[in-house]
Amino acid sequence: MKTRNLVVGMLCATVFAPILIFTSTFKDSYPSSSESGEFLEDLTAFTVGGDARHLNLLPQESSTTLSLKQPILVISDKIAQHSAHSQSQSQGSWEHKSARVLSATTNGLDQSKTDNPIRQVTDLTKTPINKHADQEQIKASDNHISAHHSQILDTKHQQESSQTYGVLEKKEPTKINNEKQTEQTAPPDFRVRQLKDQLIKAKVYLSLPATRNNANFVRELRLRIKEVQRALGDASKDSDLPRIANDRLKAMEQSLAKGKQIQDDCAAVVKKLRAMLHSTEEQLRVHKKQTLFLTQLTAKTLPKGLHCLPLRLTTEYYSLNSSQRYFPNQEKLEDPRLFHYALFSDNVLAAAVVVNSTVTHAKVIYSSLKYALILPLVAKKIGENIRKLAISFLYSFVFLERWFRASINLLSFQRRPLLSVDMSNSPCCIEPLQHPSNHVFHIVTDRLNYAAMRMWFLANPPGRATVQVQNIEEFTWLNSSYSPVLKQLNSQSMIDYYFRAHRANSDSNLKFRNPKYLSILNHLRFYLPEVFPRLNKVLFLDDDVVVQKDLSGLWSIDLKGKVNGAVETCGETFHRFDRYLNFSNPLISKNFDPRACGWAYGMNIFDLDEWRRQNITDVYHTWQKMNHDRQLWKLGTLPPGLITFWKRTYPLDRFWHVLGLGYNPSVNQRDIERAAVIHYNGNMKPWLEINIPKYRNYWTKHVDYDQLYLRECNINP
């Protein structure tokens, strides 16, 4: 009996007594209306990482909260000293209440006052309260909170933060992803630009009177400038910066903030910035002019190796016997049925690349009738009857071939016969339609490089192709009495213009003074019928091109009565007529369209029969005489070419000829790969040091750098 009474007493002391104490303490410490107002403010203006997120269910009294506050809870010291069992019960009850608060906030469900403690708190805010009493309650509440704030953080911080803001944690990854996207979209040189801007600001502050009087600040700012310059170095993007660059950026920012406080005269700062801007623009203009001059000088200057090569070849040429100085297959030079190329150049290595690349890509194509001609040999093994049948097919095909060739001749198209059949010897004697031996290269150079050019192709014959090298000095018909352009080029005024002997009478644009325009080789393209009197078609190639595909298909193109077949270049605005001709002159404006499409020299198929029929050379001479004072156009051969072949040019497919590899680093790679001919027009030639590196390999792969003369002149890839 005593034992039972003892157990009942201990049960009352350990179970019922804590309940009574908790109930009385809860009533005494229940939050007042002012405290509930703060509690509502805290709940209605959550801030996560600076982003205010309101709970929609509770009244939003304030949106100026800048940091996340802990929920206001008043817990008695007695509760903290309870047993572990009572603590777990109280924790369970508060967890249940927190879950209900979040549920009401998220879903907006209506609950009764007795079931929802948050609703009880909101109801208290609706009752009128005395203003003075409210202020006293707020002060008392603040004192009470500060007394227990440290204990609350120690005991409840982890649990309550995870319970109360569990929903908000789902939104944090979204913000982190947004920050990452912002970093990814930032330019790759964002930090580099910041550092450069800081240097400009620092130099401005150093030049202002207010800051120069502050010796300590000037010393600090100069130190920061040196640190930033050392960290910046030659970096062009953020990945090139050292790790310490971010620290230098922050240190400079602090120093600039001090300078901003010292300098309060904005007008002086603006004036200094304007002066610096003007000075920078002037320096930029000077540097651009120097760059243009050096680029033009480099383009005109011959590298040491290319100067050595013709000297070495010339010496070797004159050491040969007279019988060793002739090229084979000279009987093909005037055969109109073959594929003839015209190349006018004084650059031995460049001419060699053009010839080698053309021969390399010349296809060996046989007629489809070849297989009918070979059938008799195969049929011999099968049987005599099949052989007779094959021979009958053979004669039928031969008859069709002869009929087709006769039809072509009637249409005045001179072509190489499809087949060459010797019926007296064998029914299967056949020659290919296209073969490197059917390609003939006519190279014209000046007297200085004539021996070197001949020696190169004698020592390095281009397979079975035929080569002819001529000296322009041997064209006795090309004289100043016949050619007005030759008369102009030899005049003293033209020499003064191009070499700038008299600064007052010369143009300031450097490209107008390139001595190559004084070379008659550059104008020989307007005299093709005179150079090749027995040919009816010729393909003109510049010496700065590389052939990537077979070009024999150009001879089969019907030019429809036009003289010049060329690729148009009107895809870019600066390749129209108004870019090259002076339309302020009435002779130009009345005869030509300023928006007409230009075309490109470098790969042109010329119908010499139509040239002679339309008397194109006289048209060229007429316009050259009218341009004796350079009032119609200023330089080069393209402007007179546009005039001479106006309405006489047939547009070719643009993939026959792709330009820009000598000045444009952004030529489409796919267009280069598909092009039959790529053209290094511009100053950045592939044999110069100023070439565009990514395009140079297309040219160098056609040069044999193991060749003896190249090694002796130290010409390397």
Side-chain angles (χ1 to χ4, degrees):
M1 188 64 180
K2 292 180 180 181
T3 304
R4 186 176 62 182
N5 293 336
L6 181 61
V7 171
V8 172
M10 293 179 63
L11 182 62
C12 293
T14 57
V15 176
F16 295 105
I19 294 175
L20 294 175
I21 295 172
F22 176 83
T23 304
S24 61
T25 306
F26 183 81
K27 290 180 180 180
D28 295 337
S29 61
Y30 196 83
S32 62
S33 60
S34 63
E35 294 172 349
S36 65
E38 292 183 8
F39 181 62
L40 288 172
E41 182 178 353
D42 293 335
L43 287 178
T44 57
F46 284 170
T47 303
V48 180
D51 184 14
R53 307 185 182 188
H54 298 286
L55 297 178
N56 299 326
L57 180 63
L58 303 179
Q60 301 178 7
E61 296 182 359
S62 174
S63 61
T64 60
T65 305
L66 298 177
S67 61
L68 184 62
K69 299 179 181 180
Q70 295 293 335
I72 301 174
L73 299 175
V74 180
I75 302 175
S76 175
D77 294 337
K78 296 179 181 179
I79 303 302
Q81 295 174 358
H82 278 332
S83 63
H85 178 68
S86 62
Q87 286 181 2
S88 63
Q89 287 181 349
S90 63
Q91 282 183 7
S93 64
W94 281 107
E95 290 174 0
H96 181 62
K97 292 176 183 179
S98 300
R100 291 194 340 199
V101 169
L102 292 176
S103 177
T105 303
T106 308
N107 302 323
L109 300 175
D110 296 334
Q111 304 217 0
S112 63
K113 296 180 181 180
T114 57
D115 296 333
N116 194 345
I118 302 301
R119 177 63 63 183
Q120 296 175 7
V121 174
T122 57
D123 290 342
L124 291 175
T125 61
K126 298 178 181 179
T127 59
I129 300 175
N130 192 338
K131 183 176 181 181
H132 298 287
D134 188 23
Q135 293 177 354
E136 292 177 359
Q137 290 178 1
I138 291 173
K139 293 179 180 179
S141 177
D142 291 340
N143 295 333
H144 194 70
I145 292 168
S146 61
H148 298 282
H149 183 65
S150 60
Q151 184 176 358
I152 293 170
L153 292 176
D154 295 335
T155 58
K156 298 295 181 178
H157 180 268
Q158 295 180 353
Q159 296 178 1
E160 291 177 352
S161 62
S162 62
Q163 294 169 2
T164 308
Y165 311 116
V167 176
L168 297 177
E169 289 177 354
K170 297 179 181 179
K171 299 182 180 180
E172 291 181 359
T174 304
K175 184 173 182 182
I176 294 173
N177 292 334
N178 293 335
E179 292 177 355
K180 290 182 179 179
Q181 291 178 0
T182 303
E183 293 177 357
Q184 292 176 357
T185 56
D189 59 345
F190 179 71
R191 292 292 182 191
V192 174
R193 292 182 182 181
Q194 279 187 317
L195 291 171
K196 291 181 179 180
D197 291 343
Q198 285 184 343
L199 288 176
I200 295 174
K201 292 179 183 179
K203 292 177 181 179
V204 171
Y205 282 132
L206 283 177
S207 61
L208 297 175
T211 55
R212 284 203 298 262
N213 297 331
N214 192 331
N216 293 331
F217 176 72
V218 171
R219 190 181 305 109
E220 177 186 352
L221 197 57
R222 286 177 177 172
L223 177 62
R224 295 286 179 262
I225 291 175
K226 290 181 180 180
E227 292 176 350
V228 171
Q229 288 177 341
R230 195 176 296 113
L232 187 60
D234 297 330
S236 59
K237 53 186 178 180
D238 294 349
S239 58
D240 299 335
L241 294 173
R243 296 181 179 179
I244 201 172
N246 196 30
D247 297 335
R248 299 288 184 252
L249 182 69
K250 294 178 180 178
M252 176 63 86
E253 194 67 32
Q254 294 175 359
S255 299
L256 293 176
K258 295 179 183 178
K260 187 176 181 181
Q261 295 175 357
I262 296 173
Q263 178 57 246
D264 56 355
D265 187 3
C266 295
V269 176
V270 172
K271 184 177 180 181
K272 183 62 181 178
L273 285 174
R274 286 179 178 174
M276 291 180 65
L277 179 62
H278 178 74
S279 176
T280 303
E281 290 178 347
E282 183 65 22
Q283 291 178 7
L284 179 61
R285 187 187 65 81
V286 172
H287 287 313
K288 282 185 175 180
K289 189 173 182 179
Q290 291 178 351
T291 302
L292 178 62
F293 174 77
L294 293 175
T295 302
Q296 295 288 342
L297 182 63
T298 306
K300 300 173 189 177
T301 305
L302 194 66
K304 184 186 295 184
L306 294 183
H307 181 70
C308 163
L309 182 61
L311 295 177
R312 181 72 181 85
L313 290 171
T314 302
T315 303
E316 191 71 19
Y317 177 77
Y318 286 110
S319 66
L320 297 176
N321 296 327
S322 58
S323 60
Q324 298 175 330
R325 299 179 183 179
Y326 295 98
F327 293 100
N329 303 322
Q330 295 298 295
E331 68 278 0
K332 294 182 178 181
L333 297 179
E334 296 181 348
D335 189 347
R337 298 173 300 173
L338 304 180
F339 306 114
H340 294 267
Y341 301 84
L343 177 61
F344 308 144
S345 174
D346 58 359
N347 188 327
V348 176
L349 197 59
V353 169
V354 175
V355 174
N356 291 341
S357 62
T358 305
V359 174
T360 300
H361 294 94
K363 295 180 180 178
V364 180
I365 301 178
Y366 293 88
S367 169
S368 60
L369 305 184
K370 165 191 172 182
Y371 301 103
L373 296 175
I374 299 177
L375 276 177
L377 298 180
V378 180
K380 185 177 182 179
K381 298 181 181 180
I382 301 175
E384 186 66 20
N385 294 331
I386 299 178
R387 182 175 181 274
K388 292 179 180 180
L389 182 63
I391 292 176
S392 63
F393 275 103
L394 166 66
Y395 284 101
S396 299
F397 281 122
V398 170
F399 172 78
L400 290 175
E401 185 272 332
R402 291 181 177 178
W403 175 83
F404 178 73
R405 183 173 59 184
S407 300
I408 293 296
N409 292 334
L410 288 176
L411 293 175
S412 300
F413 287 103
Q414 298 296 329
R415 292 290 180 271
R416 183 173 180 79
L418 294 176
L419 297 172
S420 296
V421 181
D422 186 1
M423 302 301 297
S424 61
N425 296 325
S426 173
C428 57
C429 297
I430 180 173
E431 292 184 9
L433 290 173
Q434 299 171 15
H435 191 274
S437 61
N438 296 336
H439 295 258
V440 182
F441 295 89
H442 303 270
I443 302 173
V444 181
T445 186
D446 55 12
R447 180 176 56 185
L448 186 63
N449 294 281
Y450 174 71
M453 193 76 73
R454 290 184 66 88
M455 186 62 212
W456 175 269
F457 288 103
L458 286 171
N460 305 278
R464 297 177 61 185
T466 302
V467 175
Q468 179 191 27
V469 178
Q470 295 177 280
N471 183 2
I472 194 172
E473 303 290 340
E474 297 175 357
F475 296 159
T476 56
W477 52 265
L478 187 61
N479 49 59
S480 58
S481 60
Y482 173 70
S483 173
V485 67
L486 187 60
K487 183 178 181 180
Q488 294 171 11
L489 292 177
N490 293 332
S491 65
Q492 188 62 39
S493 62
M494 186 70 71
I495 295 174
D496 293 345
Y497 175 77
Y498 281 116
F499 287 97
R500 198 165 185 170
H502 304 289
R503 295 179 179 269
N505 299 327
S506 58
D507 200 293
S508 60
N509 197 329
L510 287 173
K511 70 179 182 180
F512 292 158
R513 302 194 310 274
N514 195 329
K516 76 175 184 178
Y517 300 122
L518 281 175
S519 173
I520 190 60
L521 280 175
N522 203 39
H523 297 266
L524 192 60
R525 63 193 69 187
F526 292 102
Y527 299 97
L528 292 178
E530 287 81 358
V531 178
F532 310 111
R534 297 189 180 182
L535 300 181
N536 51 27
K537 247 184 185 180
V538 66
L539 181 64
F540 172 78
L541 295 175
D542 268 340
D543 62 356
D544 55 353
V545 304
V546 172
V547 178
Q548 298 189 126
K549 293 183 180 179
D550 181 52
L551 301 181
S552 56
L554 290 169
W555 274 263
S556 62
I557 295 178
D558 182 8
L559 298 182
K560 302 185 184 303
K562 307 294 184 181
V563 178
N564 174 26
V567 174
E568 292 184 337
T569 56
C570 50
E572 303 177 43
T573 56
F574 62 88
H575 283 153
R576 296 187 181 272
F577 271 46
D578 58 351
R579 184 71 177 179
Y580 302 100
L581 304 178
N582 180 18
F583 276 87
S584 63
N585 190 295
L587 282 174
I588 298 295
S589 59
K590 290 179 181 178
N591 292 281
F592 305 101
D593 179 10
R595 304 304 299 162
C597 241
W599 45 268
Y601 264 128
M603 190 217 70
N604 307 78
I605 183 73
F606 289 104
D607 189 336
L608 300 185
D609 290 337
E610 284 293 332
W611 186 311
R612 299 183 186 98
R613 187 177 298 111
Q614 299 183 28
N615 205 4
I616 298 299
T617 304
D618 286 346
V619 175
Y620 169 69
H621 285 171
T622 301
W623 284 101
Q624 278 289 353
K625 291 176 182 178
M626 289 188 290
N627 192 47
H628 63 91
D629 54 356
R630 298 181 302 279
Q631 295 300 314
L632 305 183
W633 68 87
K634 287 188 177 296
L635 78 159
T637 55
L638 183 55
L642 296 176
I643 291 177
T644 303
F645 297 104
W646 168 248
K647 295 183 178 180
R648 299 180 179 93
T649 301
Y650 179 81
L652 301 176
D653 189 288
R654 66 188 185 94
F655 292 111
W656 279 109
H657 187 193
V658 171
L659 299 95
L661 278 71
Y663 69 91
N664 183 12
S666 303
V667 180
N668 188 286
Q669 188 68 27
R670 186 179 178 184
D671 291 348
I672 295 176
E673 298 296 336
R674 294 176 60 186
V677 174
I678 55 177
H679 195 171
Y680 293 85
N681 57 312
N683 289 325
M684 301 178 183
K685 303 298 184 185
W687 56 82
L688 299 176
E689 294 182 359
I690 59 172
N691 65 81
I692 301 177
K694 65 178 181 179
Y695 300 148
R696 191 169 188 267
N697 184 57
Y698 297 107
W699 189 85
T700 56
K701 66 182 180 181
H702 296 288
V703 179
D704 183 12
Y705 288 98
D706 293 331
Q707 212 275 344
L708 176 63
Y709 302 120
L710 298 184
R711 292 202 312 267
E712 290 179 348
C713 292
N714 198 25
I715 299 177
N716 300 309

